Amino acid sequence: MFGTLLRFRLRRDRWQLAVWAVVHFLLAYLVVSAVHTTYGTAVERANTVKVMMVTPAILLFRGTPQGTSAGDFMALLGLTFIAVLVAFQSTFLVVRNTRAEEALGQTETIAATAAGRWAPSLAVIALGVIANVIAMIAVAVGCLAGGLPTGGSWLFGAALGAVGLTFVGVAFLLAQLFPAGRSANGWAAALVLAAYVVRGLGDATGTPHLATATLTPAWPIWASPIGWAQRTLPWSPHARVWPLLLGVAAFVVLTAAALVIQDRRDVGAGVFAERRGRAAASTVLRGSIGLALRLQRGVLIGWITAVVAGALLLGGLSGVMVDQLQTAGAGVTNALDEIGGGDGSSGSLLQAFVNVGAIFSALLASAICVQGAMRLRQEEVAGGTDAVLSTAAGRMPWMLSFVVVAGVGAVLALVLGGLVAGAVAGDKGGGFATWFWAVVWEAPAVLVFLGIVALVFAVLPNATIAVGWAVFGLAAIFGLFGPLFGLPQWARDLAPFAHTPAIALPHPDFTGGWAMALIAIALVVASLVLFRLRDTKPGA
C-alpha cells in the first residue's frame, strides 16, 4: 500500500515537480552565467565583496562572502534565494498531501484499510525526500552547466537539498499541530521567511576580513537551516560536509515528533483546536467580497508587511548604498544601470536604484495576486466553491470577489510601500515623488500576474498552483535579474515589469504601463467567462 500511495502522489504531482526542477536549474545556471559575465574578473569580484562586507543591508539580502572565486561568488549571490524557493516547494508539497487530503476524508478512508494510519504519512515523507533529491540534482547540474567545479557543485546542491528536507519536517509537524491547511501553510511560510531573516542577521552582524575577502558570520547563522547550508562553503578550500548533517538531523527529529503526535490525535483534528465561530455570520461575511477578504486576510497582511518593510529598507538606505556601489567597479554599476533602465549619465545610478527598488516591491506585491488566484483553486478542491455556489451566489461574482480582493490588496501594498519609501528616502535618496510614483506605477504589471493565474484556474485548474509559482519565479529571473544574467532582450520582455514606466528617469514612457493594465483587464475578463463555462472539480 505504501508503494501504491507513493506512486499515486508522484503521478499526481509530476508536473509540479517538473516545473520546480526547471526553475531550480535555470536559476542556478543563470546566476553562474551572471558571475561570469558581470563579475568576470577576480578584481571586480574582490571590489564588489569589499563593498558588501561594509554594507550590512546588502549582506542581509545576500549571504556570507567567502572569497573571490566564481564558485564563492555564486554561493554569495544565489544560495539564499534558491534555498527559500526549495523551502517553499517542500512546505507546499507536504501540506497539500497531508492536510488537504485529511480535510477531504481520504486519509481516514485509507487508515480504515489494512494499510493503517502511517502509510499515507510515510508516503508523503518519501515524496518530500524525492522532491528534494530532484531539486539537489537540478541545482548541481545548473552549476555544472555554468562551468563551476564538480565537487563544489554537488555540495552546493546537497546543501540546498538539506534545507528542503528540514522544511519537509517543519511542514509535516505543522500539519499535525493545526487542523487546517491554510494555517499550516501560513506558519510554514512565516518560518521560511524567519529562517531567511535570522540568517541575514548573522551575516549582517558578522566580522569582515577585507584582506581575504571573507566574513565570519555571527552566531544567529546557526539558528537557521539556510545558515547551515551557507556554512558548507561549497567552493571554498575549507569546504565541509558536516553542516549537512544538521539538516538531516532536523528532518529526522521533526518527522519523528510529527508521527508521534499524529498517532495520538484524532483524524481531521489538530493539537491546536480551531476557534469557535459566531453563531451567525457578521454583515461583512454575508457577501462574496467579505468571504474572500476573510479567507485571504493572512496572505494580505503578510505580504503587505513585507512590501512596506522592503520599501522602508530600500528607501532609507538608497543614498548610502548608491554611494558605496559606485566604488564596486564598472561591472556592478553597469549591471544596476541596465536593470534599472539607466543611461550611464551622471546621477543615473541613483535613478536606476529607484527603479530596481520599485521592481523589487512589485515582485513582493505580485505574490498577493498569485496566492489570491491560487486561493480559488484551493477553495474548489476543498469543496468550498460548490458550497457557496449552491446558494444564491453566482459563479462570476464568486470568482470576481477573490480577484478583486487580491488586486486591491496588491495595489494597497504598492501605495503604502511608495509612501514609506518616499518618506524615508529624502532628497539624497531620490525624493518622495520619485519613489512614490515609481512604486505605484508597477501596479499594472503586478495585476497581470493576477490575470494569468486566474486564466489558468479557469482553463487548467489542476495546474493553477504549479503554473502560478513558475510564473512568479520566472518573472523574478527575467524581470529583476535578466540583465544581470545576460539574458537577451526578448526574454526580459516576457516579464511584465519590463514594460512599466521608469519613473525615476527624466522622460518615462507610460505606454507600456497602460498596455499592461489593458492586458490585465482582458485576462481577468476572459478567466471569468471561461470559468462560467466549465464544471467545478472539487477534490481533484
Side-chain angles (χ1 to χ4, degrees):
M1 179 61 76
F2 166 80
T4 302
L5 289 172
L6 179 58
R7 286 192 296 272
F8 167 74
R9 287 184 167 87
L10 284 170
R11 179 178 176 80
R12 184 182 61 186
D13 293 328
R14 63 187 185 280
W15 290 113
Q16 185 175 345
L17 294 174
V19 168
W20 276 111
V22 170
V23 170
H24 297 324
F25 168 81
L26 285 176
L27 191 55
Y29 176 75
L30 291 172
V31 173
V32 177
S33 299
V35 171
H36 290 312
T37 56
T38 306
Y39 311 93
T41 68
V43 173
E44 287 183 317
R45 292 194 289 269
N47 288 338
T48 304
V49 168
K50 289 177 181 178
V51 171
M52 289 183 175
M53 287 195 294
V54 297
T55 312
I58 298 179
L59 295 175
L60 187 66
F61 286 107
R62 286 302 189 185
T64 308
Q66 288 299 324
T68 59
S69 72
D72 293 330
F73 219 72
M74 161 60 180
L76 174 62
L77 295 181
L79 189 149
T80 56
F81 187 63
I82 301 176
V84 168
L85 292 182
V86 172
F88 275 132
Q89 174 193 2
S90 298
T91 57
F92 293 149
L93 191 69
V94 170
V95 174
R96 165 183 162 82
N97 283 278
T98 52
R99 268 300 159 192
E101 290 190 357
E102 202 163 331
L104 295 171
Q106 296 174 357
T107 303
E108 190 170 16
T109 300
I110 295 172
T113 68
R117 192 171 178 182
W118 278 26
S121 296
L122 294 177
V124 172
I125 295 169
L127 177 64
V129 173
I130 292 172
N132 282 287
V133 169
I134 294 173
M136 177 192 74
I137 294 172
V139 169
V141 171
C143 295
L144 292 171
L148 293 182
T150 302
S153 298
W154 284 108
L155 182 55
F156 184 76
L160 292 169
V163 173
L165 278 181
T166 300
F167 281 97
V168 167
V170 168
F172 189 47
L173 179 60
L174 291 173
Q176 314 309 316
L177 298 179
F178 296 99
R182 182 172 64 254
S183 301
N185 265 327
W187 276 96
L191 290 175
V192 171
L193 295 177
Y196 181 84
V197 171
V198 170
R199 183 280 324 157
L201 292 175
D203 286 327
T205 58
T207 304
H209 310 288
L210 296 178
T212 58
T214 61
L215 180 139
T216 301
W219 66 265
I221 200 83
W222 296 106
S224 167
I226 301 176
W228 304 340
Q230 287 181 278
R231 301 314 294 157
T232 59
L233 312 177
W235 285 283
S236 167
H238 308 291
R240 46 199 181 183
V241 177
W242 67 263
L244 299 178
L245 300 178
L246 296 175
V248 175
F251 164 71
V252 172
V253 170
L254 290 169
T255 51
L259 287 171
V260 171
I261 294 172
Q262 177 189 267
D263 204 40
R264 299 183 178 183
R265 68 172 176 84
D266 293 333
V267 177
V271 173
F272 304 131
E274 288 187 295
R275 292 181 301 172
R276 294 176 62 87
R278 298 180 180 181
S282 65
T283 304
V284 175
L285 288 177
R286 291 175 185 173
S288 297
I289 291 288
L291 176 62
L293 180 60
R294 173 64 178 81
L295 293 174
Q296 296 185 69
R297 67 179 181 182
V299 170
L300 293 174
I301 293 172
W303 285 112
I304 289 175
T305 302
V307 172
V308 172
L312 179 65
L313 184 62
L314 290 167
L317 296 175
S318 55
V320 176
M321 290 183 68
V322 168
D323 288 343
Q324 292 181 335
L325 286 171
Q326 286 176 331
T327 66
V332 180
T333 55
N334 290 341
L336 180 61
D337 227 27
E338 191 172 359
I339 295 172
D343 55 10
S345 61
S346 176
S348 176
L349 190 61
L350 177 57
Q351 296 165 350
F353 185 82
V354 173
N355 288 331
V356 171
I359 294 174
F360 181 77
S361 298
L363 185 63
L364 295 178
S366 65
I368 298 175
C369 292
V370 171
Q371 287 197 275
M374 286 180 183
R375 187 71 202 183
L376 291 163
R377 179 57 184 160
Q378 292 169 340
E379 286 299 300
E380 185 178 25
V381 169
T385 303
D386 284 340
V388 172
L389 296 183
S390 65
T391 66
R395 281 172 165 267
M396 292 179 68
W398 174 81
M399 182 176 179
L400 185 60
S401 64
F402 282 83
V403 171
V404 167
V405 168
V408 171
V411 172
L412 178 61
L414 292 174
V415 170
L416 293 176
L419 288 171
V420 170
V424 300
D427 293 336
K428 186 178 179 180
F432 175 83
T434 300
W435 270 101
F436 176 76
W437 290 113
V439 174
V440 170
W441 259 102
E442 294 290 340
V446 167
L447 295 177
V448 169
F449 287 86
L450 182 61
I452 292 174
V453 183
L455 184 63
V456 174
F457 165 74
V459 179
L460 297 170
N462 290 334
T464 302
I465 294 177
V467 172
W469 285 120
V471 168
F472 179 80
L474 291 174
I477 294 172
F478 293 162
L480 193 57
F481 304 115
L484 187 65
F485 295 158
L487 296 180
Q489 188 61 47
W490 66 264
R492 302 179 211 171
D493 289 340
L494 294 176
F497 308 128
H499 305 283
T500 53
I503 298 296
L505 299 183
H507 304 289
D509 183 2
F510 293 90
T511 305
W514 291 116
M516 290 298 100
L518 292 175
I519 291 173
I521 293 171
L523 289 171
V524 168
V525 171
S527 66
L528 291 171
V529 173
L530 292 171
F531 175 67
R532 190 167 180 266
L533 299 177
R534 75 165 173 87
D535 293 333
T536 56
K537 298 178 180 180

